Amino acid sequence: MMDLNAIAEFVDDASRYAKAIPQLSETGKDLTLPQAYEVQRLSVQRRYDRGQRQVGVKMGFTSRAKMIQMGLDEMIWGRLTNVMLVEDGGEIDLKNFVHPRVEPEIAFLLKKPLEGIVSPAEAMLSVEAIAPALEIIDSRYENFKFNLPDVVADNTSTSAYVVGPWVRPDIDFSNLGMVMSFDGRAVQIGSSASVLGHPLRALVGAAKLVGEDGGRLEAGWTIMAGGATAAEALTSGLHVRLEAQNMGSVSFSVT
Ligand code: OOG
Ligand code: MG
């Protein structure tokens, strides 16, 4: 029998101390997807035991660009905690990461809980605001390589995120241009429509998957819809900015 607690400690330590680990599936720890979600739960519980608290959920593999880049095509989710939030315009320090990448996203702020099977219109009623956001992903696995259970066990590479100005969700955000730039040079250009045709579908997916796991999305939580484009590797000194049409911009620097 696989010791899921020991694996949870292994991935949590890798994230805590920013040390790369071999892929679980390459080292005799072949998890089923439900076991991988259990490892994720146990590893994030270790963060809660250190005083962190859950502030939201992030979705993964919700765009073709992300699926193609990572070679995986099933929607996944991970847990966001309070220490992962970087203030807009703030800095991250490379030494706290293994090999971070950044991707442009849309974030939702919930004003009401959301649970289980809901329609996009129902999901919309729970949305307080939306914002342009940047997710900094950092797989703890060597060479940023993993299969689906590996990445799920590693809290879906979640490490930090930056949220721009919250705007009221009464604009049509189904197909807004998104330009991510490094030091003023565009490195990824996409559209919010790349996320499942409409980013609201990522929120619907989050309610469903978290519901199947016995939980719900809570009022006050931030839900990250998933990268609209492929992710880009971060290097020291970069200034990263995302400009989202009609939504404003969000940025951070790497030191
Ligand atoms: C897994 C996380 C995927 C997204 O937005 O698709 C993700 C990874 O690519 O390392 O956050
Ligand atoms: Mg992401």
Side-chain angles (χ1 to χ4, degrees):
M1 240 201 43
M2 207 99 65
D3 184 348
L4 300 184
N5 256 307
I7 300 174
E9 182 176 354
F10 184 57
V11 294
D12 177 51
D13 278 353
S15 141
R16 193 172 174 193
Y17 303 115
K19 290 207 55 170
I21 51 174
Q23 262 177 265
L24 303 176
S25 56
E26 304 267 287
T27 47
K29 302 183 203 65
D30 247 312
L31 303 173
T32 63
L33 197 56
Q35 283 176 326
Y37 274 109
E38 179 61 7
V39 168
Q40 180 190 127
R41 190 186 68 76
L42 290 166
S43 81
V44 180
Q45 181 61 47
R46 297 175 64 85
R47 287 175 168 268
Y48 303 154
D49 294 345
R50 294 196 291 273
Q52 301 180 26
R53 61 193 164 79
Q54 189 172 3
V55 295
V57 156
K58 61 73 71 86
M59 299 304 290
F61 306 142
T62 54
S63 69
R64 292 291 305 153
K66 279 292 301 182
M67 294 181 209
I68 290 166
Q69 183 179 32
M70 303 319 295
L72 296 170
D73 61 7
E74 195 173 321
M75 192 157 65
I76 55 176
W77 66 280
R79 293 162 165 97
L80 299 173
T81 76
N82 57 316
V83 303
M84 297 170 181
L85 180 63
V86 175
E87 71 171 320
D88 188 9
E91 290 182 350
I92 63 159
D93 191 336
L94 272 189
K95 79 168 177 347
N96 298 324
F97 300 84
V98 181
H99 38 208
R101 297 177 178 179
V102 63
E103 54 198 17
E105 304 211 4
I106 301 283
F108 295 96
L109 179 63
L110 298 191
K111 60 182 173 190
K112 285 195 286 189
L114 200 56
E115 179 176 12
I117 307 294
V118 295
S119 67
E122 283 167 331
M124 199 59 214
L125 294 175
S126 288
V127 178
E128 169 78 20
I130 56 176
L134 289 162
E135 186 184 20
I136 298 144
I137 50 171
D138 190 29
S139 175
R140 268 55 68 164
Y141 301 115
E142 289 161 359
N143 306 314
F144 224 110
K145 283 190 68 183
F146 42 71
N147 68 13
L148 204 63
D150 290 335
V151 66
V152 164
D154 183 30
N155 198 21
T156 63
S157 309
T158 307
S159 70
Y161 67 106
V162 197
V163 180
W166 291 111
V167 300
R168 287 182 31 188
D170 51 8
I171 59 167
D172 176 3
F173 57 95
S174 61
N175 182 14
L176 295 179
M178 297 170 75
V179 180
M180 184 168 77
S181 54
F182 282 6
D183 295 332
R185 173 178 55 92
V187 289
Q188 288 289 342
I189 301 174
S191 160
S192 60
S194 304
V195 178
L196 299 169
H198 192 312
L200 200 50
R201 296 209 181 99
L203 182 57
V204 169
K208 176 172 180 282
L209 292 185
V210 172
E212 284 168 1
D213 196 60
R216 66 173 193 180
L217 309 179
E218 301 290 349
W221 276 12
T222 296
I223 313 299
M224 299 280 286
T229 71
E232 291 283 336
L234 290 173
T235 52
S236 179
L238 279 182
H239 180 70
V240 181
R241 184 167 187 268
L242 167 65
E243 173 88 45
Q245 186 189 353
N246 299 344
M247 289 179 77
S249 66
V250 53
S251 69
F252 69 94
S253 301
V254 185
T255 61

